[in-house]
Amino acid sequence: MADIQLGEKIKAMREEAGLGLRDLASKANVSPSMLSQIENGSANPSINTLKNIAVVLNAPLYRFFQENTSPEALVVHKDSRKIIGFVDREVQYELLTPDVSGQIEFCLMTIPPNKASAGMPEGHEGEETAYVMSGSINILMEDTYIALSAGDSLRIPPLTQHRWINSAAEDAVIIFAVSPPSF
């Protein structure tokens, strides 16, 4: 995974906002101990925790991942993808683009068996296109469940409430693009 100093960026943004560690932790619904571990780089935040922190700091998620744009920085090697979330505990997102500061966001999402992408359906401003690389998955779009298998693809219009649900015994791996970026 690329070294993006996520914790350092969160700490700098927190201090810039004039918030103490306990203040941000309380407002972001995370323990002060966990926030301290995130800031010092000994723990990685889940996507939901990162979203909560971004909301409290009044910052778009992409600010946590901004880097330089030299030609070398535009390449993402397989072993240096930025990962958000915890393996084996929840959905894992890997950025396939160097960051989310461009016009499109490209990600690989792995949903373990009997897990879902979120507790409740969520929507975002960007239009999303998804391709199921392996496994099978159900997606709840508005009030409709749709079953997808490896090789299937789907377009999700902007602001459509949706939730990915893996009821299968194996991981579901989905590649998706969102424009404009929503992380």
Side-chain angles (χ1 to χ4, degrees):
M1 178 170 84
D3 185 13
I4 58 170
Q5 294 94 27
L6 180 63
E8 291 175 17
K9 289 178 183 179
I10 290 171
K11 182 177 181 179
M13 291 169 69
R14 173 179 60 77
E15 290 173 345
E16 182 179 311
L19 290 172
L21 187 132
R22 290 187 182 279
D23 294 330
L24 176 58
S26 174
K27 291 177 180 178
N29 199 29
V30 63
S31 72
S33 172
M34 175 55 82
L35 182 57
S36 176
Q37 291 174 28
I38 291 167
E39 287 189 354
N40 71 32
S42 63
N44 290 317
S46 69
I47 185 64
N48 289 332
T49 297
L50 201 54
K51 283 180 181 179
N52 290 346
I53 291 170
V55 167
V56 173
L57 294 175
N58 195 27
L61 276 175
Y62 74 82
R63 276 200 55 203
F64 296 131
F65 301 100
Q66 280 183 316
E67 293 184 40
N68 69 47
T69 54
S70 67
E72 296 83 16
L74 298 176
V75 175
V76 178
H77 294 283
K78 174 171 93 169
D79 59 347
S80 64
R81 294 180 189 148
K82 295 172 187 136
I83 298 174
I84 303 171
F86 297 97
V87 178
D88 298 329
R89 290 206 296 174
E90 61 181 277
V91 176
Q92 178 178 317
Y93 296 89
E94 295 179 56
L95 288 177
L96 301 177
T97 48
D99 55 44
V100 291
S101 63
Q103 297 297 310
I104 193 164
E105 165 187 299
F106 196 42
C107 293
L108 183 71
M109 175 173 60
T110 303
I111 303 178
N114 302 309
K115 298 288 181 181
S117 62
M120 298 293 295
E122 299 176 346
H124 47 78
E125 291 185 26
E127 179 175 21
E128 183 173 346
T129 301
Y131 173 79
V132 181
M133 292 186 59
S134 64
S136 59
I137 192 83
N138 291 308
I139 184 167
L140 173 61
M141 285 181 48
E142 300 296 342
D143 295 325
T144 303
Y145 282 93
I146 302 168
L148 300 170
S149 299
D152 293 341
S153 58
L154 161 80
R155 181 173 63 95
I156 304 169
L159 304 176
T160 300
Q161 298 291 308
H162 61 285
R163 178 177 181 234
W164 298 92
I165 305 159
N166 184 0
S167 302
E170 64 179 327
D171 285 353
V173 180
I174 297 102
I175 194 167
F176 67 90
V178 180
S179 181
S182 64
F183 276 118

